[in-house]
Amino acid sequence: MSRDVAESRGASLPAAPALPRGSVPHRAGPATTYRPRATEPLRLRARRKILTAAGRWRTSLSVRVVTVTVVGGAVALALLGGVIGNQVRDGLYDARVEQILADAALRSRDAQETFDSATATTGQQVQQVANDWIDALESSSSGALGTVLMRSPNESSAVTIAEPATNNAPREVVSDQMRAALAAEGGQHWQAVGLPAEDGEEPGIVVGATVTLPAAGTYELYTIYTLAPEEETIRLVLRVLSVGALALVVVLGAMVWVITRWVLRPVQEAARAAERIADGLLAERVPVRGHDELAVLGDSFNEMAESLQRQIERMEELSRLQQRFVSDVSHELRTPLTTIRMAGELIHDARDSFDPAVRRSAELLHTQLDRFESMLADLLEISRFDAGAAALEVEERDMRDIVQRVVELNAILAERKGSEIRLQVPAGPCTVEVDSRRVERVLRNLLANAIEHGEGRPIDLTVAASATTVAVRVLDRGVGMSAEEALHVFDRFWRADPARARTTGGTGLGLAISQEDARLHGGLLEAWGEIGVGASFRLTLPRHAGAVLGVSPVPLNPHEEPATITQEVSSAAGPESWSELAGEDS
């Protein structure tokens, strides 16, 4: 409430220095060393709470809206309360100062009139007049704590009196600066001061004026006023504003929370319904209430869900029909194919008795019948995967034995193409629980493709194992493939060159079936390639059936591994023993 500026009618004085409110002298004790207790658990709890609050902030729109609204409202109310508090304080202060100055001026006039009408000529008589006038002010109000008469520093009269005061008025609050200004300029001066109180200090104002006593000359009349009631009033106003602002912020936060929950509830229901639809519950719908914008949102969501359900059911039906068609056609074609195969075998066996043109036709017929039969078998296998009828016959096998058999089966093809197969296998057993027929088919397909596209260059076949995973990588250095082609190489009937007719080579289903075999084992079949560098295929399987697939022990990209020593093996036959193949370098 006290202001650090001074005002006067003709002069300005700064506020007198005052002790801090509530300050108490104390004596310093002996120096001690503070040892904090173990605070690690407290830090961990605080960190956990901070992380929880941060996670709540990121995941909850309601928390963000309520927090921003409450903080914004609190800041706005704080600013408004500060402005209102300053206005109330300044208004009360200015009004009280005007009232105090008017009251002090009235006192000084009354005092001067009293002294002018007195007929005292001696010091004792003047003292009596001053005491009588001071005693008359003991019961005065208007917030005045007391009045003090003090001899002017410039007065040289021989008559002096004891300086009387009312109500034990604190003389120490009258500053030397104010006395000097009053002695030099006269008139009325005032200054904001801190008055001693039971709980420290309270704001006050000292108003000074000069009066002339008979025979004693010029004296300074100081009236001391307290502003404690005004300060208490302002504190009351601030308390009321604070309580009102706090209540308003709480009500505002509760209202925003309720409104946010009311608005977000349909959105949350829609999100839960979308999750259930994504899980396969296509009949899930959002409950719709009322006819407002949220109800329109719910109706639109339900219409979308119904449309998706119809489309998905139609696609599922088409997929079932397609699978049934493929399966039925594949089965129905077996009978005429068997008949054509028997006739073709007879013609092929008698081809030496035909002329060259007919003999060539018989050979082409025999080759295409083999390819047709292989394609029919692949179609039947694909239909089993699509129908979910494929099953594993799991047994514990050494992956090295499966790889050796695949190498032996492809030895003639590798020799004809001029490719050399190089193996790198572990020295110890590499047991794994698999369906050996399916895994052998996958590796046979990968190795045959590598020989076919390897352009006569060496082919590396690597077997590696970890505690939970076994991997086989087939790496060739042939024509290679691009990253885009590697993404589609497992698609059914996919060709890198769409313009080329599929008249030679495989059926276009080998890699697709291989990928399904890998998935059936809970494994993964991946491809990598680079044009002109080569291609890499990696089969990764868990060592135990039904186990979670771990990290593959061999990289798919050969550029990501350090140089290793490989063991060259003839493509026609395998080593006599695996320890011979692996050697100490494995």
Side-chain angles (χ1 to χ4, degrees):
M1 181 64 190
S2 59
R3 297 186 358 177
D4 293 334
V5 296
E7 300 177 6
S8 68
R9 300 183 186 271
S12 298
L13 297 175
L19 290 174
R21 185 179 183 87
S23 62
V24 178
H26 64 280
R27 186 166 49 193
T32 58
T33 302
Y34 173 70
R35 291 184 175 85
R37 297 179 180 178
T39 56
E40 286 301 322
L42 294 178
R43 290 199 189 101
L44 292 176
R45 284 197 295 270
R47 179 179 176 82
R48 191 179 301 112
K49 290 180 180 180
I50 292 174
L51 292 177
T52 302
R56 187 71 173 160
W57 171 269
R58 289 192 303 268
T59 58
S60 177
L61 180 61
S62 301
V63 171
R64 291 200 298 271
V65 171
V66 172
T67 302
V68 172
T69 303
V70 169
V71 172
V75 171
L77 290 174
L79 294 176
L80 181 61
V83 172
I84 294 175
N86 287 335
Q87 294 293 329
V88 172
R89 182 193 63 188
D90 294 345
L92 284 176
Y93 186 85
D94 293 339
R96 181 57 178 156
V97 167
E98 292 293 332
Q99 182 182 4
I100 287 173
L101 294 179
D103 181 74
L106 182 61
R107 288 171 182 265
S108 62
R109 283 198 305 270
D110 179 69
Q112 189 61 59
E113 292 174 356
T114 301
F115 297 149
D116 290 343
S117 61
T119 59
T121 57
T122 65
Q124 185 177 2
Q125 293 174 345
V126 174
Q127 182 73 57
Q128 185 62 41
V129 171
N131 290 340
D132 292 342
W133 184 82
I134 289 295
D135 293 339
L137 297 178
E138 288 287 347
S139 59
S140 63
S141 56
S142 300
L145 290 181
T147 303
V148 179
L149 269 175
M150 302 177 68
R151 181 181 173 90
S152 177
N154 299 330
E155 179 59 43
S156 58
S157 175
V159 179
T160 60
I161 63 172
E163 299 174 349
T166 62
N167 302 326
N168 297 320
R171 299 170 180 266
E172 63 274 10
V173 299
V174 179
S175 65
D176 295 338
Q177 184 181 8
M178 185 175 181
R179 297 197 64 186
L182 190 62
E185 302 175 9
Q188 186 183 58
H189 293 261
W190 67 277
Q191 186 179 38
V193 296
L195 302 178
E198 294 180 358
D199 57 348
E201 66 175 24
E202 62 186 28
I205 290 179
V206 176
V207 182
T210 58
V211 292
T212 302
L213 273 68
T218 303
Y219 271 69
E220 298 168 356
L221 175 63
Y222 294 101
T223 307
I224 303 170
Y225 296 86
T226 178
L227 297 179
E230 286 73 17
E231 184 181 42
E232 186 61 33
T233 300
I234 290 184
R235 288 178 179 174
L236 177 61
V237 171
L238 293 178
R239 283 197 298 269
V240 172
L241 288 176
S242 300
V243 173
L246 179 61
L248 184 59
V249 168
V250 172
V251 172
L252 180 63
M255 290 177 59
V256 172
W257 176 261
V258 171
I259 294 173
T260 304
R261 298 290 296 175
W262 177 36
V263 173
L264 291 182
R265 184 177 62 179
V267 178
Q268 293 170 345
E269 292 175 349
R272 287 192 291 268
E275 291 176 356
R276 288 191 286 268
I277 291 174
D279 291 337
L281 303 176
L282 300 179
E284 189 69 27
R285 296 295 181 269
V286 175
V288 179
R289 308 175 185 87
H291 305 280
D292 54 10
E293 291 83 355
L294 295 176
V296 174
L297 174 63
D299 290 333
S300 300
F301 181 90
N302 290 337
E303 292 176 2
M304 179 189 67
E306 290 177 4
S307 177
L308 287 175
Q309 182 180 9
R310 289 193 298 268
Q311 294 293 334
I312 292 174
E313 290 176 349
R314 186 181 299 112
M315 293 176 64
E316 289 177 347
E317 182 63 24
L318 291 175
S319 178
R320 284 192 295 268
L321 292 175
Q322 180 184 11
Q323 294 171 10
R324 187 182 306 165
F325 173 78
V326 173
S327 178
D328 293 344
V329 169
S330 301
H331 282 89
E332 292 299 328
L333 287 178
R334 279 199 170 276
T335 300
L337 179 62
T338 303
T339 304
I340 296 173
R341 163 65 71 180
M342 294 173 60
E345 290 290 344
L346 292 175
I347 296 173
H348 186 266
D349 292 341
R351 67 185 182 279
D352 293 335
S353 62
F354 302 147
D355 58 78
V358 178
R359 182 168 62 249
R360 178 58 180 164
S361 297
E363 292 173 352
L364 290 176
L365 176 63
H366 184 269
T367 302
Q368 293 303 316
L369 281 174
D370 289 341
R371 186 166 178 269
F372 187 33
E373 191 171 17
S374 176
M375 183 181 296
L376 200 58
D378 288 346
L379 286 173
L380 285 173
E381 188 67 19
I382 283 291
S383 65
R384 292 190 189 97
F385 282 118
D386 291 341
L392 291 177
E393 297 179 3
V394 178
E395 58 179 339
E396 187 174 83
R397 292 288 303 273
D398 193 328
M399 183 60 74
R400 301 178 302 173
D401 296 336
I402 299 177
V403 170
Q404 174 61 22
R405 176 171 171 78
V406 171
V407 171
E408 293 172 353
L409 291 175
N410 288 273
I412 297 176
L413 177 61
E415 184 177 0
R416 186 169 66 247
K417 292 290 185 177
S419 295
E420 187 177 35
I421 302 176
R422 303 186 299 189
L423 295 178
Q424 182 181 352
V425 296
C430 187
T431 57
V432 59
E433 297 177 0
V434 294
D435 187 334
S436 59
R437 179 183 65 86
R438 295 183 182 275
V439 173
E440 182 179 317
R441 178 170 62 186
V442 173
L443 297 179
R444 188 170 63 247
N445 193 6
L446 297 181
L447 186 56
N449 284 340
I451 296 172
E452 188 71 27
H453 300 91
E455 297 186 336
R457 297 187 179 94
I459 297 171
D460 291 333
L461 201 155
T462 304
V463 180
S466 64
T468 60
T469 309
V470 173
V472 181
R473 186 187 67 189
V474 180
L475 173 65
D476 68 74
R477 295 169 176 82
V479 295
M481 57 183 172
S482 65
E484 180 68 21
E485 292 171 349
L487 294 176
H488 300 283
V489 73
F490 298 108
D491 296 347
R492 300 176 185 180
F493 298 108
W494 181 83
R495 297 191 302 274
D497 184 4
R500 187 180 65 183
R502 192 183 297 279
T503 57
T504 60
T507 63
L509 294 173
L511 289 178
I513 294 175
S514 298
Q515 189 178 50
E516 294 295 338
D517 283 332
R519 289 175 179 171
L520 198 61
H521 284 83
L524 190 61
L525 182 59
E526 302 166 279
W528 169 90
E530 188 174 341
I531 299 296
V533 176
S536 172
F537 288 84
R538 182 180 65 185
L539 174 65
T540 308
L541 300 173
R543 300 196 70 162
H544 300 284
V548 178
L549 185 65
V551 179
S552 181
V554 60
L556 176 62
N557 187 342
H559 302 308
E560 297 177 358
E561 66 179 345
T564 55
I565 300 176
T566 60
Q567 175 72 36
E568 294 188 3
V569 183
S570 170
S571 60
E576 304 231 346
S577 69
W578 284 113
S579 60
E580 220 177 86
L581 170 66
E584 296 181 358
D585 293 329
S586 298

